[in-house]
């Protein structure tokens, strides 16, 4: 199976099938990355936008670069711009906080819902790092590149975020290593 | 915390529908603007810088010229050029680089405020030898700003789809107009600068913001 970078090289030389393969390989990941807190139609638009920007920026791609963090940064930027333009980031944070109180965090039985609620309770910068690391499987170095922070800062955010998540999901856990 | 949450991944037909939608948009990526937007960042930056330099130089040749003995003009040129370089670098940042929104906001504010503040430099650096001003300063300034804005939009990969980018582009356009005027018009008279130079940026900002509001859509369709 060709690597992402080989596919990108083929795409740069005009192979449309290589783009389709990249899309099929990465659209689910990009969708997961951008869809949090958005309606499905908004998330789909952002996926389209991300790949359109990938197409427009294709000549910036260096042959020794890795595609995944490159694409993730484009998606993260697109999502941030969207939230900022629609003035929703503050609203969303408030909605999360209200939802957490209204629904009663400990009363949520479903594991996924509990994780979502725990994530929603995190500060935005920690939530972003946790999503990229835990759910998307990016390395800390890749995340640092994607969110424009230092490696140390990303590790601190992840540590704090995971600690809060653990305490939220296992209230009896004292958080010790 | 061993189990990852399951997200509703798109099934194959949904994925193919999305792919068709993307390919339909890619099929529209033709023509000069699509070509410009897909150039490497260093080339887009060169195109932008060259364009602005040409417009500014043309204004200089038509106007007061490049023999800059007026202290106010020297300070104004320095202020405009410095902010312009930083704002342009951020504006044409590669798409895969992390977006620093605080920096972008700061540069937008600086790009818009600089033309409002620079006229007051004439108070600390008066030039009694200022010759009679040329007519049409505002026409020249706005023309340079509008042509710059149009060119920057053609070079922007989101087509100013994001408001923050659009605002920074307007700031750069206003700076270009004022930079051109600093070469075009020899006047250091405060009332003239406030009346005919300073509003150039604002007169571009306000209609463009209205246009973007009316457009509403923010996805980069070009």
């Amino acid at each position: 199976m060709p690597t992402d970078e080989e596919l990108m090289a083929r795409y740069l030389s005009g192979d449309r099938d290589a783009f389709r393969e990249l899309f099929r390989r990465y659209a689910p990941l990009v969708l997961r990355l951008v869809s949090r807190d958005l309606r499905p139609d908004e998330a789909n638009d952002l996926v389209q936008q991300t790949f359109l920007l990938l197409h427009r920026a294709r000549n910036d791609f260096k042959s020794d670069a890795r595609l995944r963090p490159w694409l993730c940064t484009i998606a993260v930027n697109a999502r941030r711009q969207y939230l900022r333009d629609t003035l929703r980031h503050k609203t969303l944070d408030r909605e999360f906080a209200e939802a957490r109180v209204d629904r009663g965090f400990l009363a949520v039985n479903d594991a996924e819902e509990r994780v979502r609620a725990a994530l929603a309770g995190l500060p935005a910068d920690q939530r972003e790092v946790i999503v990229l690391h835990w759910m998307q499987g990016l390395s800390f170095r890749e995340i640092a590149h994607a969110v424009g922070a230092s490696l140390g800062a990303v590790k601190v955010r992840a540590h704090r975020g995971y600690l809060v998540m653990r305490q939220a999901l296992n209230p009896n856990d004292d958080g010790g290593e | 915390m061993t189990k990852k949450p399951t997200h509703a991944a798109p099934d194959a037909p949904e994925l193919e529908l999305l792919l068709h939608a993307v390919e339909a948009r890619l099929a529209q990526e033709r023509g000069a603007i699509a070509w410009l937007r897909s150039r490497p960042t260093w080339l887009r930056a060169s195109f932008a810088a060259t364009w602005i330099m040409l417009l500014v130089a043309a204004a200089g040749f038509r106007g007061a010229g490049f023999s800059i003995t007026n202290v106010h003009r020297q300070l104004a040129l320095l202020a405009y050029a410095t902010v312009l370089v930083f704002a342009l670098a951020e504006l044409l940042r590669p798409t895969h680089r992390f977006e620093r929104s605080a920096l972008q906001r700061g540069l937008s504010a600086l790009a818009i405020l600089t033309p409002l503040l620079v006229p007051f430099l004439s108070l600390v650096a008066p030039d009694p030898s200022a010759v009679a001003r040329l007519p049409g300063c505002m026409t020249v300034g706005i023309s340079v700003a509008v042509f710059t804005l149009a060119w920057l939009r053609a070079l922007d990969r989101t087509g100013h789809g994001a408001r923050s980018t659009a605002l920074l582009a307007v700031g750069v356009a206003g700076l270009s107009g004022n930079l051109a005027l600093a070469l075009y018009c020899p006047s250091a008279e405060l009332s003239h600068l406030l009346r005919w130079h300073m509003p150039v940026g604002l007169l571009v900002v306000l209609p463009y913001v209205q246009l973007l509001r009316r457009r509403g859509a923010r996805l980069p369709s070009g």
Side-chain angles (χ1 to χ4, degrees), chain B:
Chain B
M1 218 159 59
T2 54
K3 178 180 173 291
K4 290 185 183 182
T6 53
H7 291 270
D11 54 24
E14 274 180 309
L15 203 60
E16 290 306 307
L17 276 177
L18 256 181
L19 176 56
H20 283 309
V22 172
E23 287 189 312
R25 292 174 76 162
L26 291 188
Q28 295 169 359
E29 293 284 300
R30 297 174 190 280
I33 290 180
W35 183 85
L36 280 173
R37 286 176 181 165
S38 65
R39 292 310 89 200
T41 293
W42 67 267
L43 197 55
R44 290 186 302 128
S46 306
F47 285 156
T50 307
W51 178 265
I52 291 170
M53 280 193 290
L54 284 174
L55 288 176
V56 169
F61 279 123
R62 292 278 298 172
F66 298 90
S67 174
I68 305 156
T69 53
N70 180 322
V71 180
H72 173 263
R73 283 175 72 203
Q74 291 171 352
L75 291 172
L77 283 169
L78 185 68
Y80 291 138
T82 306
V83 180
L84 190 62
V85 166
F86 285 105
L88 202 56
E90 177 59 23
L91 185 65
L92 295 173
R93 171 183 53 81
T95 318
H96 61 281
R97 285 272 166 77
F98 173 71
E99 181 196 292
R100 291 161 293 183
S101 56
L103 177 69
Q104 206 169 65
R105 278 198 301 270
L107 282 170
S108 298
L110 200 59
I112 290 168
L113 286 176
T114 302
L116 308 186
L117 298 177
V118 163
F120 293 97
L121 289 174
S122 66
L123 295 175
V124 293
D127 184 3
S129 65
V131 296
R133 61 181 176 271
L134 293 161
C137 282
M138 192 171 282
T139 308
V140 171
I142 288 179
S143 302
V144 170
V146 168
F147 281 120
T148 301
L149 187 60
W151 185 237
L152 291 175
R153 190 175 187 278
L155 289 168
D156 186 79
R157 286 184 177 146
T158 66
H160 294 168
R163 282 179 206 157
S164 53
T165 315
L167 197 61
L168 186 56
V170 169
V172 169
L175 279 174
S176 304
N178 278 278
L179 184 62
L181 285 179
L183 284 175
Y184 177 76
C185 173
S187 175
E189 188 188 326
L190 183 62
S191 63
H192 171 77
L193 298 175
L194 289 178
R195 194 178 301 163
W196 302 110
H197 292 207
M198 186 192 79
V200 163
L202 294 177
L203 287 173
V204 179
V205 169
L206 298 176
Y208 200 56
V209 167
Q210 283 300 319
L211 187 73
L212 291 175
R213 271 201 190 144
R214 201 179 300 169
R215 193 175 64 170
R218 51 158 310 288
L219 293 176
S221 57

Side-chain angles (χ1 to χ4, degrees), chain A residues 122-166:
Chain A
L122 293 177
D125 58 344
Q126 290 177 18
R127 190 190 317 146
E128 191 170 60
V129 169
I130 299 280
V131 167
L132 289 169
H133 183 247
W134 188 34
M135 298 175 182
Q136 315 300 344
L138 265 66
S139 70
F140 285 130
R141 196 170 294 282
E142 288 172 336
I143 296 169
H145 181 268
V147 303
S150 70
L151 184 60
V154 165
K155 284 181 176 173
V156 168
R157 287 179 203 171
H159 176 73
R160 288 178 182 161
Y162 279 128
L163 210 59
V164 173
M165 293 275 291
R166 182 186 289 176

Side-chain angles (χ1 to χ4, degrees), chain A residues 74-121:
Chain A
I74 294 177
V76 167
N77 280 341
R79 177 187 149 80
R80 282 181 174 181
Q81 279 191 341
Y82 181 74
L83 291 177
R84 199 167 53 242
D85 281 1
T86 52
L87 297 175
R88 288 179 59 179
H89 50 303
K90 285 181 183 165
T91 312
L92 284 169
D93 285 346
R94 196 169 59 243
E95 283 172 1
F96 282 138
E98 286 167 358
R100 204 168 151 221
V101 172
D102 290 348
R103 293 163 65 190
F105 180 67
L106 294 175
V108 179
N109 291 321
D110 180 68
E112 183 180 334
E113 282 302 304
R114 288 176 61 197
V115 170
R116 281 179 188 279
L119 268 175

